[in-house]
Amino acid sequence: MAAAHAIAGSGKASVRVLDQADRVGGNAGSFFEEGIWCDFGSHRLHPSTEPRILDELKCLLGDDLLLRPRHGRIYLAGRWVHFPLKLGDALKSLPLPFSASLISDILQKPFRRSTAPAATFSSTLLSGLGPTISRSFYFPYVEKLWGLKPEALAVKLAERRVSGSSVGKILTRMLRMLPGLRGETTGRFFYPRKGFGQITDVVSTAAQSAGAKLSLETKILRIERVGSSVAAVVASRGDGAPQSYAASQVLSTIPVTALAKLIRPKPPTEVLEAAEAIRFRGMILVYLFLETGQFSEFDAHYFPELSIPISRMSEPKNYSASSEPEGLTVLCAELPADPGDRWWGLSDQELGEELVGCLASVGLPVDAPVRKTITRRLRHAYPVYDLGYEENFRRVDAWLQTIDGLVCFGRQGLFAHDNTHHAFAMAYAVADCLDENGGFDSCRWNEYRKAFERHTVED
């Protein structure tokens, strides 16, 4: 939708958006349930958003774009620690042996060398952060999120996912949180009054006002090419007959694994095999509606330990500072899982009961009546950077780039770990590469893609 808004607003081309879902936004959208705006997990708009993008969203959202303080906590070594980390709280809350071990890691950093035969996520973090925080926090957390041991994950995950690559950098961030040292947006985030999906909603409205056409609940059946050039997209809406949309440019955020299978004539066998080998991690979102005004004062809880199956839990009303509706709140727990896992086969009621048990085990008893439990299941939550992904992605990506007029972008399209502001940057870059005649500057796009490689996820 950001690309549609930027292109339609520039007048460079006519735009039609085809979306399989019944609402815009994908995993960054929201839905309204029991009077509460619910997101698909925990989402924030970070202050590091490019100024031109942030200014645009401020203009579109007006007073509905709130600047909120971050107020979460991590369950670490059997204790609750504030997140983002605060120096005073960390010194007070972390067990003394844990803190002593961290200090030892800092002192030994100049002498630490990796002994692993090849660089992996595990060896990179052990070298940079040391064993204490790696083994207590990052290793179990990534194993839970991606379903693989840290030594089976690629170095690229550390580069894209871990912004604090040394204990020194983490301490520097903690110092910046101290009064007198923090900036206006330090320890804060932007969040829309009506859920995170309001961002895409207002962008969608602006795009359509500029002339973009939107077709929801529209399934892509195939993307046709003539020789090495894209020619048309064939799609159907509901049970309707297939419709062909002629196009000189197709901009795709479809998961790259699925996109390769949609091209006609088909890609070579080795490309399809590489696409089949690329994996995304799924996620079950468990929404627990409680008959109380507020469950806790915290916007998010993080659970790195493997003994607790959920990775994070958020309370949407605390993100938007909403008091409505009175006497009701919702918790959204993120449970990493894939189709075929035990968790995937459980009913909503069973998942709700499991969540209540998990929370009780960490001292967060659910005392209020549970009005209902619902779930949302995401099949493409996170790209899995296993040790073989780079070669497989390179093969698929290289072949897709031979098709003139086909451009892949976004988390799913470029198999990239990113935040919403990164997705907006990609969208604006796509628009920038289009000329007034609808042509696409591939050389400029390749330069943008090099810049995208430096994107680091902010949690």
Side-chain angles (χ1 to χ4, degrees), residues 7 31 38 56 64 66 85 87 93 124 131 137 176 200 274 289 304 321 323 364 367 373 394 400 402 410 425 433 446:
I7 295 169
F31 61 95
C38 302
E56 181 83 21
D64 276 355
L66 310 172
L85 296 174
L87 187 59
S93 302
T124 301
F137 177 72
R176 288 175 181 166
T200 321
F289 289 83
S323 59
L364 295 173
D367 297 323
T373 303
R394 184 203 61 76
L400 290 172
T402 65
C433 290
N446 287 333

Side-chain angles (χ1 to χ4, degrees), residues 92-108:
K92 179 180 68 175
S93 302
L94 289 174
L96 186 58
F98 186 91
S99 299
S101 186
L102 271 180
I103 293 171
S104 175
D105 287 349
I106 296 172
L107 296 175
Q108 294 180 48

Side-chain angles (χ1 to χ4, degrees), residues 139-187:
F139 286 1
Y141 199 51
V142 299
E143 183 175 346
K144 184 188 299 187
L145 281 179
W146 282 278
L148 293 172
K149 297 286 186 181
E151 56 268 23
L153 293 164
V155 172
K156 182 67 72 174
L157 181 63
E159 297 171 353
R160 299 295 290 267
R161 189 77 190 188
V162 183
S163 54
S165 55
S166 70
V167 176
K169 288 183 179 180
I170 294 173
L171 288 173
T172 299
R173 289 188 174 193
M174 293 167 70
L175 289 171
R176 288 175 181 166
M177 294 286 290
L178 294 173
L181 296 179
R182 68 170 66 192
E184 180 186 357
T185 58
T186 303

Side-chain angles (χ1 to χ4, degrees), residues 5-154:
H5 169 52
I7 295 169
S10 71
K12 292 179 179 179
S14 59
V15 180
R16 179 181 289 273
V17 179
L18 306 177
D19 198 320
Q20 182 172 299
D22 60 358
R23 62 173 66 83
V24 297
N27 292 355
S30 300
F31 61 95
F32 199 57
E33 188 80 21
E34 296 285 342
I36 302 174
W37 284 104
C38 302
D39 299 337
F40 290 93
S42 173
H43 293 281
R44 299 177 177 87
L45 184 67
H46 295 280
S48 54
T49 301
E50 285 184 26
R52 62 169 179 160
I53 296 171
L54 187 56
D55 289 344
E56 181 83 21
L57 293 178
K58 286 179 177 179
C59 180
L60 291 172
L61 286 158
D63 293 339
D64 276 355
L65 187 61
L66 310 172
L67 181 60
R68 301 283 296 136
R70 295 199 65 174
H71 188 45
R73 57 180 181 172
I74 301 174
Y75 192 68
L76 193 62
R79 307 280 186 91
W80 288 109
V81 183
H82 191 275
F83 188 79
L85 296 174
K86 294 181 177 180
L87 187 59
D89 178 75
L91 292 173
K92 179 180 68 175
S93 302
L94 289 174
L96 186 58
F98 186 91
S99 299
S101 186
L102 271 180
I103 293 171
S104 175
D105 287 349
I106 296 172
L107 296 175
Q108 294 180 48
K109 173 72 164 65
F111 311 102
R112 196 159 48 234
R113 295 290 183 271
S114 175
T115 58
T120 65
F121 177 88
S122 173
S123 63
T124 301
L125 259 67
L126 284 173
S127 177
L129 289 171
T132 303
I133 197 166
S134 294
R135 291 177 177 146
S136 299
F137 177 72
Y138 279 109
F139 286 1
Y141 199 51
V142 299
E143 183 175 346
K144 184 188 299 187
L145 281 179
W146 282 278
L148 293 172
K149 297 286 186 181
E151 56 268 23
L153 293 164

Side-chain angles (χ1 to χ4, degrees), residues 2-16 52 230 247-252 404-407 409 426-446 448:
H5 169 52
I7 295 169
S10 71
K12 292 179 179 179
S14 59
V15 180
R16 179 181 289 273
R52 62 169 179 160
V230 72
S248 59
Q249 294 286 340
V250 173
L251 312 177
S252 172
D404 293 333
L406 178 63
V407 180
F409 68 114
M426 292 184 194
Y428 280 41
V430 165
D432 187 47
C433 290
L434 281 173
D435 63 30
E436 299 298 331
N437 299 314
F440 192 79
D441 189 336
S442 297
C443 292
R444 180 180 292 182
W445 176 242
N446 287 333
Y448 273 121

Side-chain angles (χ1 to χ4, degrees), residues 233-394:
V233 177
V234 179
S236 65
R237 186 171 185 181
D239 296 327
Q243 182 174 353
S244 180
Y245 299 90
S248 59
Q249 294 286 340
V250 173
L251 312 177
S252 172
T253 60
I254 296 172
V256 66
T257 50
L259 177 64
K261 301 171 188 177
L262 293 172
I263 307 294
R264 297 292 185 276
K266 291 183 179 181
T269 301
E270 60 269 21
V271 173
L272 291 173
E273 289 175 347
E276 194 68 33
I278 297 170
R279 290 201 306 120
F280 285 88
R281 180 66 159 159
M283 181 80 72
I284 302 174
L285 303 174
V286 185
Y287 299 88
L288 204 65
F289 289 83
L290 305 178
E291 294 182 352
T292 182
Q294 185 182 52
F295 178 73
S296 81
E297 66 181 86
F298 298 96
D299 51 25
H301 291 79
Y302 296 82
F303 304 95
E305 297 179 0
L306 287 170
S307 59
I308 305 162
I310 62 174
S311 56
R312 181 169 56 184
M313 183 184 74
S314 51
E315 189 167 0
K317 286 177 69 174
N318 291 350
Y319 279 56
S320 61
S322 174
S323 59
E324 300 295 331
E326 293 184 4
L328 185 69
T329 191
V330 63
L331 306 179
C332 173
E334 300 172 31
L335 175 61
D338 293 317
D341 288 356
R342 178 181 80 86
W343 297 110
W344 208 270
L346 296 183
S347 67
D348 289 4
Q349 181 67 29
E350 290 170 325
L351 286 166
E353 291 169 358
E354 291 275 358
L355 174 57
V356 170
C358 286
L359 295 178
S361 72
V362 293
L364 295 173
V366 177
D367 297 323
V370 178
R371 177 174 295 186
K372 69 176 182 180
T373 303
I374 64 172
T375 65
R376 296 290 186 270
R377 295 162 196 251
L378 312 179
R379 292 175 178 266
H380 302 93
Y382 294 117
V384 177
Y385 283 6
D386 58 35
L387 295 180
Y389 99 91
E390 285 189 278
E391 176 57 27
N392 289 319
F393 175 74
R394 184 203 61 76

